[in-house]
Amino acid sequence: MKTLIDTISNSDGHWVGDGFPVRSLFSYNGDTKAVSPFLLFDYAGPWTFEPADGQPRGVGQHPHRGFETVTIVYDGEVSHKDSTGGGGTIGTGEVQWMTAGAGIIHEEYHSPGYSKTGGPFRMVQLWVNLPAKDKMTPARYQAITRDAIQTVELDGGTARIIAGELNGTKGPASTFTPINLWDLRLKADADVILPLPERHTSMIAVLAGHVTIDGKGVGEAEIARFSTEGEGVRIKADGDAIVLVLTGEPIDEPVVGYGPFVMNSEAEIRQAFDDYNSGRFGAVAA
Ligand code: MN
């Protein structure tokens, strides 16, 4: 079995634009080796937005280069538009896997429909690093709908497989390096053993409820981080719980991040700013 190394939490929230009340549970400003190939984990919500007229809340046009953003919507809806000509709405239970690669400019807002009705909002945005050889891959995104995500029955719950594989069921996301991303819904008193791969960075994020792992309690907006050695983790749910399991093969390369860009050197960061400021990231269609 893997051993529990530590738990990560952050009581200081901040707003991303005016639409996303976020707690950053880890970021590339911390120990990047400890979380590789992941770079950042923002937990937005839970929050209840009042109905609003006019421009939906969110964050306007901004660039990214050198990694992928994975947006998982649990409650509410997020609409996006980008410089590749892409756009759409990520509904409840859906996922957007966006490869920023060589560069993208996008905007992220509450959907017009959700904005009008308001209600509960909860999402995760995970940043996944790209190996140096793929950092300048063309930008693209995968819109992963509810129907595309298969469910595995567990003893006392379910796992929706977004990426990777669990008990022979594969996730729809195409990834550059080996990654597992599973959306678990556990019922009170569930006691499950998950087979997590040897040599993978392995983390379990509790988004709602409370679980016990290795005798230690892990509560809402807390991440449990495990050893790369070993092949499994046992989770007991103390009540109904929503848990996100993330594992990935570490990328053993330097990480240099600044704002929306994550590269391997400072020279590449300067180049990213230069390319962005010179209009080489393209533009979002009006
Ligand atoms: Mn963004």
Side-chain angles (χ1 to χ4, degrees), residues 59 62-64 69 98 106-108 125 127:
V59 55
H62 59 278
H64 292 293
T69 66
M98 185 183 87
H106 74 158
E107 56 185 44
E108 300 159 275
Q125 190 168 83
W127 291 13

Side-chain angles (χ1 to χ4, degrees), residues 106-285:
H106 74 158
E107 56 185 44
E108 300 159 275
Y109 288 104
H110 296 177
S111 73
Y114 168 70
S115 188
K116 282 198 181 69
T117 60
F121 187 88
R122 185 202 301 263
M123 73 171 226
V124 166
Q125 190 168 83
L126 176 69
W127 291 13
V128 179
N129 205 4
L130 288 169
K133 68 177 177 55
D134 296 316
K135 279 189 178 287
M136 296 300 279
T137 195
R140 64 161 189 177
Y141 69 86
Q142 303 170 61
I144 301 175
T145 56
R146 273 181 295 274
D147 297 350
I149 303 173
Q150 294 192 65
T151 299
V152 174
E153 296 296 325
L154 302 171
D155 192 10
T158 55
R160 297 170 70 235
I161 311 303
I162 299 165
E165 180 177 351
L166 174 61
N167 299 343
T169 297
K170 290 195 167 105
S174 163
T175 64
F176 284 79
T177 58
I179 282 167
N180 287 297
L181 193 59
W182 307 335
D183 166 19
L184 265 61
R185 313 295 169 112
L186 300 177
K187 294 198 171 70
D189 301 323
D191 184 353
V192 298
I193 293 177
L194 298 171
L196 306 186
E198 179 90 39
R199 288 186 297 279
H200 273 214
T201 294
S202 301
M203 293 183 274
I204 287 175
V206 177
L207 304 181
H210 190 278
V211 304
T212 298
I213 302 168
D214 269 9
K216 187 175 186 344
V218 187
E220 191 205 295
E222 241 186 315
I223 288 179
R225 198 169 62 87
F226 299 91
S227 60
T228 51
E229 304 82 40
E231 290 192 326
V233 167
R234 182 175 182 182
I235 309 176
K236 293 180 187 173
D238 302 313
D240 289 355
I242 302 175
V243 166
L244 185 64
V245 177
L246 45 158
T247 87
E249 197 175 276
I251 298 171
D252 190 17
E253 294 172 350
V255 174
V256 180
Y258 193 95
F261 306 131
V262 184
M263 303 299 291
N264 301 109
S265 70
E266 293 192 8
E268 288 170 341
I269 293 291
R270 283 193 294 275
Q271 185 68 51
F273 275 98
D274 198 44
D275 287 347
Y276 173 59
N277 290 328
S278 307
R280 287 191 284 267
F281 277 43
V284 180

